[in-house]
Amino acid sequence: MEPTPTINYDFYFNSNEWFIIASLLAGYALIFFLPKRFPLPLSMLFIIIGVNSGIVFDHTISIPPFDFYDVNDSSYFELFDFLSYIQYGPYGYLFFYLHSYLKIKGYFNMLYIVMWSIIAMFTEGIAAYLGVFHYKKGYVFIFSFPFYFYIQTITLVLYLYIMKITKLPEKYPPHQ
């Protein structure tokens, strides 16, 4: 199998890098300033789950054998590709935070997953417009929806399990 040649989309510091920086700063600032709903270890776990979800999603379909899109300025891994993965952390944390805050139960969990899949699509659309994603091989934006739905379903099941087995100290708001 022949290696895929490196594709360069641009060579400048421009909208895709600014989007990642702004998303990182806004997302982590929001986490910092929101009232605390979880102990620090759980908060860190939820951020890591968000980062990991982004990595798993991107590395499932953006590398061979699928290779459906490139991230940022080239098909080669670079610093801003790494930073783009870290920007998924606040999205993961907010996914858990809002679920707890809204006290979602039963069939509303499905609606919550659909809502977050739409938020993910909206964010991806902006990112693609600004040059963070470059689709190839016939991949189109709407193909991402089932991946978001699947990953967020698994993530919510994991969150519900974590909250079921975790006994939170009294100083944190009730989560049930």
Side-chain angles (χ1 to χ4, degrees), residues 23 34-35 54 67 71 74 102 115 119 141 153 156 167 172 175:
S23 186
L34 279 173
D67 198 22
V71 179
S74 78
L102 297 171
M115 180 194 76
I119 290 168
F141 166 74
T153 300
L156 184 59
K167 302 294 181 219
Y172 294 100
H175 294 272

Side-chain angles (χ1 to χ4, degrees), residues 18-166:
W18 283 116
F19 174 80
I20 292 168
I21 290 169
S23 186
L24 280 168
L25 293 175
Y28 285 98
L30 184 60
I31 290 172
F32 183 77
F33 290 111
L34 279 173
K36 304 306 172 227
R37 291 196 68 77
F38 310 108
L40 183 60
L42 266 184
S43 295
M44 296 303 296
L45 176 64
F46 295 157
I47 290 168
I48 290 168
I49 289 171
V51 170
N52 189 54
S53 295
I55 291 171
V56 168
F57 176 66
D58 280 350
H59 281 260
T60 299
I61 64 172
S62 73
I63 61 172
F66 302 112
D67 198 22
F68 288 137
Y69 61 87
D70 291 326
V71 179
N72 289 311
D73 293 340
S74 78
S75 57
Y76 186 73
F77 188 80
E78 37 185 53
L79 173 63
F80 273 88
D81 295 354
F82 173 72
L83 294 176
S84 72
Y85 296 141
I86 295 172
Q87 80 178 351
Y88 290 116
Y91 289 103
Y93 180 83
L94 291 173
F95 179 81
F96 300 125
Y97 188 96
L98 288 175
H99 190 278
S100 168
Y101 180 79
L102 297 171
K103 298 179 181 6
I104 295 175
K105 303 249 187 268
Y107 292 111
F108 288 105
N109 284 307
M110 185 65 67
L111 182 61
Y112 190 73
I113 291 168
V114 169
M115 180 194 76
W116 271 94
S117 297
I118 291 168
I119 290 168
M121 293 293 293
F122 179 75
T123 305
E124 180 182 329
I126 292 170
Y129 178 77
L130 295 174
V132 175
F133 300 111
H134 303 276
Y135 304 125
K136 339 185 258 194
K137 296 183 177 180
Y139 190 87
V140 291
F141 166 74
I142 197 68
F143 291 172
S144 296
F145 186 85
F147 290 99
Y148 288 126
F149 187 85
Y150 176 73
I151 290 218
Q152 290 172 1
T153 300
I154 290 171
T155 302
L156 184 59
V157 168
L158 177 62
Y159 167 75
L160 293 172
Y161 176 74
I162 289 169
M163 297 312 289
K164 182 179 179 180
I165 65 169
T166 303

